[in-house]
Structure formats: C-alpha cells, structure tokens
Amino acid sequence: MADLTKRYFTIGMAGHIDHGKTTLTKALTNVDTDRLKEEKERQISIELGFAPLHEDEEIQISVVDVPGHERFIRQMIAGVAGIDLVILAVAADEGVMPQTREHLEILDFLGIRNGIVAITKIDRVDDEFTGLVKEEILEELKGTIFENVPFVLTDSLSGIGIEELKQLIIHTLKEQDTRDAKGAFRLPIDQVFTVRGQGTVVRGTVYEGKVEEGQLLKIMPKGIETRARQLQVHHQPAEAAFAGQRAAINLSGVSKEDIERGGVLVSSEHFSVTKIIDVAVRMVGELEHIIKQRMPIKCHIGTAEVMGRIVFFDRNELSVTESEILCQLRLDEEIVSKRGDRFILRRPSPQETIGGGWVIDPNGEKYRFGQKTIEALSRKKEGSPKDRIKAALTEDKTLSVPEIITKTSLDELTINKLLKEEDFLSINSKDFTLLGIKEVTEEEIYDRLKEFHLENPMKQGINKAELLQAMQKNYPKTLVEFVLNTGIEEGTFLRKDQFLRNKDFYPHIPKSWQKRTENLLAQLKKDEYKVKQFDEYYSAAGIPENLKGDLKRFFEDQELAVPLDGQYYWHGDHFRGAVEVLKKSTAAEFEVGDAKEVLGLSRKYMIPFLEKLDSLGITRRAENKRIWI
C-alpha cells in the first residue's frame, strides 16, 4: 500500500503543433508517447500520451503530452483538465503561434497557475535569434498566467537543458500542494479499451480521493455498478491509486460498449448528475463573434464534451469581453459535477474557444430573467455558511466543531446553530456528518453485505471486525460504527454474536446442492447415535470438497447437525432427543455409567457426547460426575 504521505502529480505538455512537445516528453522520460500508427506517419499527437517522469520517497510525477493541432482541441482539454503543472513548449524557430495563445487561455480558464516555459529546438537558431525569440515570448505572455513563470532553453535531440528542466519540475512540485486524497474517489475517464483475457479497462487521472483494488465503484452518469478488479499505475500493478496519479483500472461486470469517454468513475454518489449548472464564466480576450442568448455551445468539463446552450439573466447578447459573468449552462446530456469544477466553452460553428469558468452550483434550476436572479447567483457564488460546512464535511466525511472552524473560518456560534438543521447528524459526543454521507455509507455497507451473502450463502453473515477493516479504507471508523448501530436499531442490518447480515438475507444451502444435502442429513438421521465419521457421509453425498467447511458451519448454526468432536456428528433431532431422555432419566448429578445405561452407547460416542454437553453449558463436570445446570 502506498504511503499516504507521498504526493502524486501529473504535469502536462501544451503548445502549438510541431513545437516539440512529444520529443521533449521522450527526452524527459525516455518514453515515446506517440502510439498510434497515424501519429507516427503524420508526426502529430492525436490521442493523449502518458509517461512516468520521476519518483522518489516524497513525490511521483507523470507527464501528459496533449495534442497541439486545433482539430484535436477536445483531447487537449481532456488532458489538461487533470494536471497540476504545465510545460508550455514554444519552438525557438517559430515563437508564439495561434494555438499557443489558445492553450494559454484554456489553462487560465481551468485555473492552472503553475507552469514553466520550455523554448524548444534551440539547435535550429543561433544565440542572438534565441534571445529575440525569448523577448517576443515574454511580450506575448504579459497579462497571461505565464507572465512570471521560469524559462528553460532546450534541445531534445542533443539533451541541452533537459536535466535542468527536469530538476526545475521536481523542485516546483515539491513546493506545491497535492490534490486531495481524502475526499470521495473521482476519475474522469479519457480512455476505454479491452485487454484480452482481462476485460474492460478505463484510464484517467485521479482527480481526488483514492481507489483500491477490489473496491466497489459506479460509472456515472449511467449509474453502472462495477468493481476495481485490478489497478495499474505506469503499467505496473498497484494496490491503490491516489489523487494526482494516472491510473488504468480493470473493471468487472461491464463491457467496453457500456462505457464512454467522458464518463466518471466514482466511489460516492455525492457527485451530482445534472443537465443544468449555475456558473461563473469569463470570455476570451478578443471575441470574434457576438455571443447571443441561448446560443449553442460545446461544454468541456473533465473529460466530457457535451452540447448545450448558454443562458444569460441580465443581457441578451455579449460582444465585449467583461470580467466574470454569472449565468447558466443548460446541457443536452447529463454530466457529473460538483461545485468548483472547471470547464471550457467552445463555439460549435465556427469552432473556437469562447470562454471558461467554474461551477457555482451543479444543481441549477430554471430562474426568471432579471437582476434578482443575478443577485441570488452572486450570493451562491460566495457560498453561504451552510454551503461551506457541507463542503467541508463532504470532503472529510466527519469533523468536530473545532475542525469545522479551521476548515470554514466560521465562528462557533454560527456553526453550532447550523449543525442543528436536518442536513447534519451528530454521530457521537463530538463529531458530525451529513445525512447524505450517512445514507451513502449505509448503502455501501448493504452492498458489501449483499456481495458477501452471494459469495457465502451458507454463512450467517460477515464478521463485524472484517467489515470494519474493509470500510475504514474509505470511511472513518466512528462513522461506520454509527451507521452500523443505527442500521441495527432500525432493522436494516441484523446482528448475531459478532456476525452481521442484511435484513432480507437468510443463510441457505445453494439450490444446486440442496438435494444432496438433504440426502446427507437423511442418512445421518437414519444412523441415529451410531454414526460414521462425517467425512464418509460427505464423500457419499458428492458435494464439492471446497464447500465442506461452510456446510459444517451451516449445520451447526441452524442446529441441523451437532458435532460431538471433530469426526462425529449427530443429527440435531437425535442430539436434542438424547439430552431430553438423559435429563429425565438421571438425577441432578450422574456418572458416565448412568448415561451409558440410559442411552446404551459405547464410550466411543458417550465421552464425546458428554464433553459436548459440558462445552454447551448444559452440564458441568465435577471429578467423575456431571451436574445438570
């Protein structure tokens, strides 16, 4: 299991077509990210390419090489949406080009502020020309997010500047905060494929949270249930993948046709599935065409690309670039989103990037046109105190009041007042959670129990300690204990000793083995007290050997058969009959000889039977006598 103190980052290569991004990636990582035949022939990147760049005890870094050609802007947005730092490649012999500027605007809209400029192909120009290009680039970057980022001069073929760039990347990321690995797992899917003998595999960058091998997941927005059968990080098997890592996940129970790029793999249903989102939008520096009310747009969010319309509430068109605009996107298809997610807007025809922004509320509604709606959206944008508490609890699942104060900067009086509302639950004397989180946790417990019952139909339930250990990988123990205790009180879950089961489950013999099991019990009953060893009955019944342990436990739990010792079993009816007859025929105290006289059994069966009575607490041994309890 990876150390949670280790940090994981994905960086991106961006820039104009043929400015050396893929070659630079190969020089840094020794991996050629151009995989497709068409890419080799045309020498451009069409699909996203990935490669490991660096790993030590503190940090792991992956590289995404995104396409630079305008036609492949969709893939570029999908790649950049999950990265923590951007290397902007600018060729020394060409300088800043149209797609360079477009990429810069996209990076700005996506909120990516960390970057490095790599001036590539310096072998093609002399030092004087390189100096002029650098000045031109500096001028072009004024007023952009890359205005003050460092420069590195590189030549990927000769290796000039490559090590310097690599060390700068490592140093920069070691100073940067990593993505949140504590929240619910989310991975926007950017690739889906089939591996022979393994099945369906999806790939993407883990936006937040972590995923573990064997974990139950859902593919949203379709709501398809699946399981992470196997994980890989950089083509190496892994037990878990964390926020910031590139991961390939082999999914069980789904086909390639069930999944589309743009879907999202999640561990929680707290992420909203929506078609209407309230947003804060900024437009590009120079709009070539007027943006009209309800104009068709193409929204890129995560790895999804969805058509829709932009809806204004304080204007009918926009021709001059302004600061942030509060409006709404009404989409043609459902997406998975939450507050704070970034997106890009493109005009479908003529194709161009027109703006981008962030999601204020993923669960927008239809509002009236007018200033009142703008004021309401403005308040929503700032986030109410309740919104801030809910966001903090959604991230950490449980928090105490002092922890909520730290997370939200709200005062204790306000927090205590809001925590009394029905959205919140007190799970013990100090910790709180959301009603929705409690419901999701309960659902996962139910699903885990359901799966356990399917795999172990003869067992009365899962051991509580085993369930707690599995759940604690994604949920605090205090929360799981609270949900379990509440579920038992409400009858959702049933408990017997240390075992838990769903209320709608009862231990049973698998249908395919019921007849043979009945025959086994009938033969055991026929032989009364003078039984053969249990293994002989089992072999004669023709039931698979691997079911023997579960079947024995089932017989014992249901009192269908009682083991006298490890070898001999009596049918439950005969055992109970023997106890009843012996108790009626003896005094409060009796000896072995008395029991033999009553039941007519040899020591072969009598001694194990009497010792069984002792172990069950029916009798107590005192020297050579037994005393009924």
Side-chain angles (χ1 to χ4, degrees):
M1 184 63 64
D3 186 348
L4 283 173
T5 61
K6 192 166 184 172
R7 299 186 298 148
Y8 304 92
F9 294 98
T10 300
I11 72 169
M13 291 285 176
H16 191 73
I17 182 175
D18 201 30
H19 274 210
K21 299 185 301 299
T22 300
T23 309
L24 183 58
T25 300
K26 185 176 181 181
L28 285 166
T29 65
N30 207 28
V31 174
D32 187 352
T33 56
D34 276 349
R35 310 174 319 281
L36 305 181
K37 180 181 178 183
E38 186 181 358
E39 291 175 336
K40 295 290 188 183
E41 291 173 350
R42 296 170 58 186
Q43 295 186 322
I44 59 173
S45 297
I46 299 170
E47 291 291 342
L48 303 173
F50 307 97
L53 183 140
H54 173 78
E55 182 171 10
D56 58 29
E57 292 180 355
E58 298 177 45
I59 196 169
Q60 183 189 77
I61 306 171
S62 313
V63 181
V64 180
D65 173 22
V66 298
H69 195 285
E70 199 277 337
R71 280 180 54 201
F72 309 125
I73 198 75
R74 174 172 66 93
Q75 287 92 329
M76 184 266 174
I77 292 171
V80 171
I83 69 176
D84 305 288
L85 177 145
V86 174
I87 308 300
L88 183 68
V90 183
D93 57 344
E94 288 192 336
V96 175
M97 299 294 282
Q99 270 73 58
T100 314
R101 298 186 184 93
E102 186 171 20
H103 284 201
L104 279 168
E105 286 181 321
I106 289 170
L107 296 173
D108 191 14
F109 293 141
L110 293 174
I112 297 170
R113 297 288 179 265
N114 215 359
I116 299 169
V117 174
I119 300 180
T120 62
K121 306 184 180 184
I122 61 169
D123 60 315
R124 299 190 179 185
V125 297
D126 58 29
D127 292 346
E128 184 179 353
F129 193 85
T130 300
L132 293 172
V133 169
K134 184 174 179 180
E135 288 180 14
E136 177 207 352
I137 294 171
L138 284 170
E139 188 63 32
E140 287 282 354
L141 294 182
K142 279 185 179 177
T144 75
I145 56 166
F146 271 44
E147 182 173 5
N148 297 311
V149 302
F151 278 70
V152 180
L153 302 178
T154 68
D155 173 27
S156 299
L157 299 179
S158 67
I160 294 173
I162 299 302
E163 187 59 29
E164 180 187 349
L165 176 59
K166 186 172 183 178
Q167 292 306 316
L168 181 58
I169 293 168
I170 295 168
H171 173 76
T172 304
L173 289 175
K174 283 191 174 181
E175 298 296 316
Q176 183 172 322
D177 291 334
T178 190
R179 292 174 181 267
D180 179 23
K182 293 186 293 184
F185 166 72
R186 176 166 57 148
L187 180 143
I189 297 166
D190 56 46
Q191 291 177 333
V192 185
F193 52 94
T194 302
V195 176
R196 184 176 296 178
Q198 298 295 321
T200 304
V201 176
V202 299
R203 187 182 282 144
T205 300
V206 183
Y207 267 32
E208 55 198 325
K210 67 172 182 175
V211 61
E212 296 183 329
E213 197 172 85
Q215 188 172 343
L216 292 169
L217 301 169
K218 282 194 176 180
I219 303 165
M220 304 298 283
K222 293 184 177 180
I224 300 171
E225 294 186 351
T226 184
R227 180 182 289 280
R229 180 187 291 159
Q230 294 176 316
L231 302 176
Q232 281 195 354
V233 177
H234 298 322
H235 305 289
Q236 297 297 319
E239 293 182 4
F242 296 83
Q245 286 187 310
R246 286 290 306 174
I249 305 178
N250 177 208
L251 301 177
S252 63
V254 292
S255 67
K256 181 183 176 183
E257 289 66 35
D258 293 330
I259 310 171
E260 298 175 355
R261 176 178 180 157
V264 184
L265 198 60
V266 300
S267 63
S268 164
E269 293 185 355
H270 278 301
F271 299 106
S272 297
V273 175
T274 177
K275 282 187 175 183
I276 301 178
I277 54 176
D278 298 337
V279 297
V281 175
R282 288 186 297 112
M283 300 302 173
V284 297
E286 297 180 8
L287 286 168
E288 294 188 21
H289 303 87
I290 292 174
I291 299 174
K292 296 185 177 181
Q293 174 75 294
R294 298 182 183 274
M295 183 188 85
I297 51 91
K298 187 179 290 185
C299 176
H300 297 265
I301 183 164
T303 57
E305 176 187 0
V306 183
M307 292 296 297
R309 294 182 181 275
I310 187 167
V311 177
F312 298 119
F313 299 105
D314 59 349
R315 70 196 72 208
N316 286 310
E317 62 178 39
L318 179 67
S319 57
V320 180
T321 301
E322 300 181 13
S323 56
E324 211 166 47
I325 300 163
L326 302 180
C327 57
Q328 192 174 76
L329 301 180
R330 296 184 185 171
L331 306 173
D332 297 344
E333 301 172 42
E334 289 183 327
I335 61 166
V336 177
S337 178
K338 75 172 190 178
R339 178 180 170 90
D341 281 356
R342 296 278 180 164
F343 61 86
I344 300 295
L345 296 181
R346 299 264 294 163
R347 189 193 300 272
S349 180
Q351 291 191 22
E352 62 176 345
T353 301
I354 59 174
W358 62 282
V359 177
I360 296 172
D361 185 352
N363 299 302
E365 301 174 6
K366 293 187 177 181
Y367 313 124
R368 290 181 178 273
F369 186 93
Q371 190 59 32
K372 284 188 177 180
T373 295
I374 295 298
E375 290 171 1
L377 289 175
S378 182
R379 289 193 297 271
K380 191 181 287 190
K381 175 191 166 188
E382 296 304 319
S384 67
K386 184 175 180 179
D387 290 336
R388 286 151 69 181
I389 296 173
K390 289 176 76 173
L393 285 170
T394 298
E395 181 178 325
D396 288 344
K397 297 186 177 66
T398 65
L399 289 170
S400 64
V401 170
E403 288 169 334
I404 295 173
I405 292 172
T406 301
K407 289 266 184 181
T408 64
S409 299
L410 295 170
D411 63 89
E412 187 172 358
L413 185 65
T414 300
I415 291 170
N416 285 328
K417 182 180 179 181
L418 288 170
L419 288 175
K420 293 176 182 177
E421 296 188 12
E422 61 181 13
D423 291 344
F424 305 99
L425 288 173
S426 173
I427 64 173
N428 53 35
S429 60
K430 66 169 188 172
D431 294 316
F432 292 84
T433 190
L434 291 169
L435 177 61
I437 290 176
K438 181 254 185 186
E439 290 170 350
V440 168
T441 308
E442 183 177 83
E443 182 179 335
E444 180 160 338
I445 291 172
Y446 183 89
D447 288 343
R448 283 183 180 272
L449 289 175
K450 182 179 179 181
E451 185 166 5
F452 182 87
H453 297 330
L454 287 171
E455 294 176 357
N456 306 277
M458 291 185 282
K459 291 183 178 179
Q460 58 182 307
I462 191 171
N463 190 300
K464 181 184 177 184
E466 182 183 340
L467 178 65
L468 283 174
Q469 185 177 13
M471 291 292 295
Q472 279 179 245
K473 294 176 181 177
N474 298 301
Y475 298 91
K477 183 180 179 181
T478 52
L479 175 63
V480 180
E481 290 271 19
F482 169 76
V483 174
L484 274 176
N485 292 336
T486 304
I488 291 168
E489 289 173 11
E490 295 172 352
T492 305
F493 310 120
L494 301 178
R495 179 174 181 175
K496 182 180 179 182
D497 299 324
Q498 75 269 35
F499 298 103
L500 295 163
R501 63 179 173 90
N502 286 330
K503 66 176 181 180
D504 53 2
F505 170 79
Y506 294 94
H508 61 278
I509 302 292
K511 190 174 181 180
S512 55
W513 305 113
Q514 280 181 357
K515 187 65 179 176
R516 298 189 185 195
T517 303
E518 289 170 3
N519 292 338
L520 187 158
L521 285 171
Q523 189 60 49
L524 194 65
K525 189 170 187 179
K526 180 181 176 182
D527 291 346
E528 296 186 333
Y529 300 136
K530 297 179 181 180
V531 293
K532 300 187 288 285
Q533 290 187 7
F534 182 83
D535 287 356
E536 293 185 46
Y537 294 102
Y538 195 85
S539 297
I543 304 171
E545 189 69 19
N546 65 315
L547 296 178
K548 186 190 293 183
D550 284 352
L551 189 64
K552 282 183 174 181
R553 280 191 293 272
F554 178 79
F555 284 166
E556 293 176 44
D557 292 340
Q558 304 301 315
E559 299 181 353
L560 294 171
V562 180
L564 301 185
D565 55 17
Q567 297 178 319
Y568 297 105
Y569 278 67
W570 279 357
H571 191 282
D573 292 346
H574 292 322
F575 180 85
R576 288 184 289 275
V579 174
E580 186 177 349
V581 168
L582 187 61
K583 193 164 188 179
K584 285 182 178 178
S585 305
T586 57
E589 296 181 359
F590 65 94
E591 296 182 355
V592 175
D594 300 327
K596 286 176 66 177
E597 188 175 333
V598 172
L599 297 175
L601 295 175
S602 67
R603 293 181 64 85
K604 174 181 176 181
Y605 299 109
M606 182 54 66
I607 298 303
F609 171 64
L610 294 177
E611 289 177 348
K612 186 67 176 180
L613 295 185
D614 296 339
S615 69
L616 292 175
I618 297 172
T619 59
R620 175 170 57 84
R621 183 173 178 175
E623 296 181 352
N624 294 326
K625 295 182 178 181
R626 253 68 180 197
I627 302 170
W628 292 104
I629 297 175

